[in-house]
Amino acid sequence: MAATRELPLREQAKVDGGQAGPVKFGHGVRDEHFLFDPSFRNLNHGSFGTIPRAIQAKMREYQDFAEARPDPFIRYEYPRLLDESRAAVAELLSVPVDTCVFVPNASVGVNTVLRNLVWDEDARDEILYFSTIYGGCAKTIDSVVEDRRGAVASRCIDLSYPCEDDAVVAAFHAAVDASTHDGKRPRVCLFDVVSSLPGVRFPFEALTAACRERGLLSLVDGAQGIGMVDLAGLAAVDPDFFVSNCHKWLHVPRGCAVLYVPLRNQALIRTTFPTSHGFVPRAGGNRFNPLPPSSKSEFVNNFEFVGSIDSSPYLCVKDSIQWRREILGGEERIREELIAMAREGGRRAAEILGTTVMDNSSRTLTNCAMVNVGLPLALQPEEGGISGDLAGLPCFPKSDLLPVTFWILQKLMDDHNTFVALFVHGGRWWARISAQVYLELDDFEWAARVLKDLCERAAKGEYKNY
């Protein structure tokens, strides 16, 4: 195989009297490095992520190699390149390389763990999760419970934001106590690094410790994690299972997620989904494996080849980390600037809207690159009238929740060429806005003005024509 080309990096910007340094974040980065339609404002990086041109070029290079010499590349070169990316992501997480493999996305990782666990035949096992869980993961739990036909049940831990981290941990302990009081056996708890809706930093470190204290397995959904949150201490946090999308905040092509499983738990992950050549049946047998012999662990070998799919995004992980280091100034700078942008941008947006940012007194909820800004719209409660901060806001019946939401989203896309994640929490509509290296604070202000206009129009009943 021909040697891969160097990553196509631009010359670093000149700053401080001509000295080379990382680029200034903002629209200049967007225009030079990213692939956006010039008229589109990407305020929702948290859902799907995106990649710079340089990483797209590397992905296409790997795809070209695969098409030029399919067998030599897929059987021999691909495993070597994959190991380079595994080593790069392991270094970023400060964990052993043999604990890291790749899967297409965090949902696949969560499914892989929950569907590999063996549930006790006495039907007392429970899966614990929080009410702010990502919807796809909630349905995964529902599916596992249904598939196991009573062998395992689930228990939801209700959260109402804003709240302090200690309250989240206390709610977990209360749920474990309630489970055992009901004669159940809490086996595993699924929780986030940064929750999706609302987009808030979750105290996953403290929850992991609480799981260990109470004898539960910790399954950490870091779909919003690597590239946004400092995860260099993952080994010290020591979750039982951890998955994080690289294609969101690490600027890796879709879909790619790192699945971390410490050595002590790798025997629990018997198979990938779908099962492929790396599976080793306990019953023994010597089924033919057409792939070259490997000295890697059973766990790593299991995930190396999972059928004929395009795994070129996995190979780009090391390139994305290099690009972020050489162009953007590295992980620490990116984290600090994005958190600062989200906090200040959220403050300005809330000021324009006449509302507030979702945060607690210790400001831990906004210790990430997404911010939730209240909209001046309220949802009629089940009983009584609205009060407190919601008093005086236009109020809609629960039956209009989806019509109002989807009308605003449609107008954002059709009339303003943007998208902002909307949700209702605590009786109010909220907008989740993502900070990113290609945005500036005026993007937050522009979004707030657009949302304010749409909220006023919704209050006049325009959504009823949707």
Side-chain angles (χ1 to χ4, degrees):
M1 170 183 167
T4 62
R5 296 187 295 271
E6 291 297 317
L7 182 64
L9 302 173
R10 74 180 290 278
E11 183 179 356
Q12 289 182 311
K14 300 294 183 179
V15 295
D16 297 332
Q19 297 299 314
V23 298
K24 179 182 178 181
F25 293 174
H27 297 161
V29 170
R30 177 195 64 194
D31 297 340
E32 181 170 357
H33 290 284
F34 286 87
L35 300 156
F36 296 118
D37 177 335
S39 66
F40 182 75
R41 296 204 195 209
N42 193 41
L43 304 177
N44 187 36
H45 188 95
S47 282
F48 303 115
T50 194
I51 56 173
R53 291 186 177 90
I55 302 306
Q56 183 192 59
K58 287 299 296 185
M59 179 176 66
R60 288 178 173 174
E61 178 186 352
Y62 297 131
Q63 292 170 333
D64 288 347
F65 281 135
E67 299 311 317
R69 304 172 72 235
D71 279 288
F73 182 82
I74 293 172
R75 294 175 187 271
Y76 295 95
E77 297 298 334
Y78 168 77
R80 176 184 64 80
L81 293 169
L82 184 67
D83 286 346
E84 292 178 1
S85 275
R86 289 178 48 244
V89 79
E91 181 179 2
L92 200 61
L93 299 175
S94 299
V95 296
V97 177
D98 286 348
T99 61
C100 292
V101 294
F102 292 116
V103 292
N105 52 59
S107 295
V108 172
V110 169
N111 270 267
T112 299
V113 173
L114 290 181
R115 297 184 187 281
N116 268 284
L117 294 180
V118 178
W119 310 104
D120 199 287
E121 294 181 359
D122 64 8
R124 293 174 53 212
D125 289 341
E126 280 195 337
I127 303 169
L128 272 56
Y129 66 97
F130 289 84
S131 58
T132 51
I133 188 175
Y134 175 63
C137 290
K139 291 184 177 181
T140 298
I141 292 174
D142 293 342
S143 175
V144 169
V145 170
E146 182 178 294
D147 290 347
R148 297 308 184 264
R149 300 181 181 181
V152 60
S154 64
R155 183 177 297 264
C156 180
I157 307 170
D158 188 57
L159 287 183
S160 181
Y161 285 108
C163 63
E164 297 296 330
D165 292 348
D166 289 347
V168 177
V169 177
F172 164 79
H173 283 295
V176 174
D177 291 340
S179 177
T180 55
H181 180 269
D182 293 343
K184 298 294 185 177
R185 181 188 305 108
R187 281 279 308 280
V188 58
C189 185
L190 171 61
F191 50 91
D192 304 319
V193 171
V194 174
S195 296
S196 177
L197 297 174
V200 295
R201 176 70 156 80
F202 201 81
F204 79 96
E205 302 96 334
L207 258 295
T208 299
C211 283
R212 188 160 48 247
E213 175 188 342
R214 300 302 296 269
L216 278 73
L217 293 170
S218 52
L219 171 51
V220 183
D221 176 11
Q224 312 273 0
I226 193 168
M228 172 170 48
V229 174
D230 185 4
L231 297 173
L234 189 63
V237 176
D238 197 24
D240 289 298
F241 308 98
F242 175 91
V243 63
S244 190
N245 284 329
C246 300
H247 60 245
K248 289 185 184 279
W249 298 92
L250 202 61
H251 297 125
V252 173
R254 306 176 204 101
C256 175
V258 57
L259 174 62
Y260 162 80
V261 181
L263 296 176
R264 67 177 181 275
N265 290 331
Q266 290 183 2
L268 300 177
I269 306 301
R270 296 281 302 130
T271 183
T272 57
F273 290 94
T275 301
S276 193
H277 293 301
F279 178 70
V280 179
R282 288 197 176 109
N286 189 24
R287 295 190 186 277
F288 175 65
N289 185 344
L291 300 175
S294 173
S295 59
K296 298 169 191 174
S297 70
E298 183 177 312
F299 172 74
V300 171
N301 197 48
N302 212 350
F303 285 85
E304 187 167 272
F305 180 88
V306 188
S308 297
I309 59 174
D310 182 7
S311 298
S312 56
Y314 300 174
L315 307 184
C316 295
V317 171
K318 64 181 185 302
D319 302 309
S320 292
I321 293 172
Q322 178 189 351
W323 185 85
R324 288 161 63 84
R325 180 175 62 250
E326 298 188 15
I327 299 300
L328 302 181
E331 299 303 317
E332 183 176 359
R333 183 209 178 196
I334 295 169
R335 284 194 305 270
E336 290 178 353
E337 292 212 18
L338 293 192
I339 291 171
M341 180 189 295
R343 282 176 165 167
E344 177 60 18
R347 185 193 68 78
R348 294 189 187 187
E351 186 175 77
I352 291 170
L353 287 159
T355 60
T356 60
V357 167
M358 183 183 290
D359 206 356
N360 53 22
S361 60
S362 53
R363 301 189 75 195
T364 57
L365 301 184
T366 58
N367 192 23
C368 62
M370 296 191 293
V371 64
N372 308 281
V373 182
L375 298 183
L377 301 176
L379 193 67
Q380 182 67 42
E382 296 289 344
E383 298 179 1
I386 59 175
S387 60
D389 292 342
L390 304 182
L393 295 181
C395 186
F396 300 82
K398 188 175 181 180
S399 59
D400 284 1
L401 190 160
L402 292 181
V404 169
T405 301
F406 285 112
W407 179 82
I408 295 176
L409 291 176
Q410 196 69 53
K411 290 299 178 181
L412 285 171
M413 291 182 285
D414 291 349
D415 299 346
H416 302 283
N417 209 10
T418 192
F419 186 95
V420 176
L422 303 180
F423 63 98
V424 172
H425 186 85
R428 177 200 285 277
W429 268 267
W430 298 82
R432 187 196 75 186
I433 307 177
S434 301
Q436 194 41 251
V437 298
Y438 47 74
L439 295 175
E440 296 179 2
L441 291 173
D442 66 1
D443 292 306
F444 288 78
E445 296 171 350
W446 173 85
R449 290 191 294 269
V450 168
L451 287 167
K452 183 178 181 181
D453 174 67
L454 292 175
C455 289
E456 291 172 353
R457 291 166 60 187
K460 294 176 182 178
E462 289 190 38
Y463 71 95
K464 293 179 181 179
N465 297 321
Y466 175 73

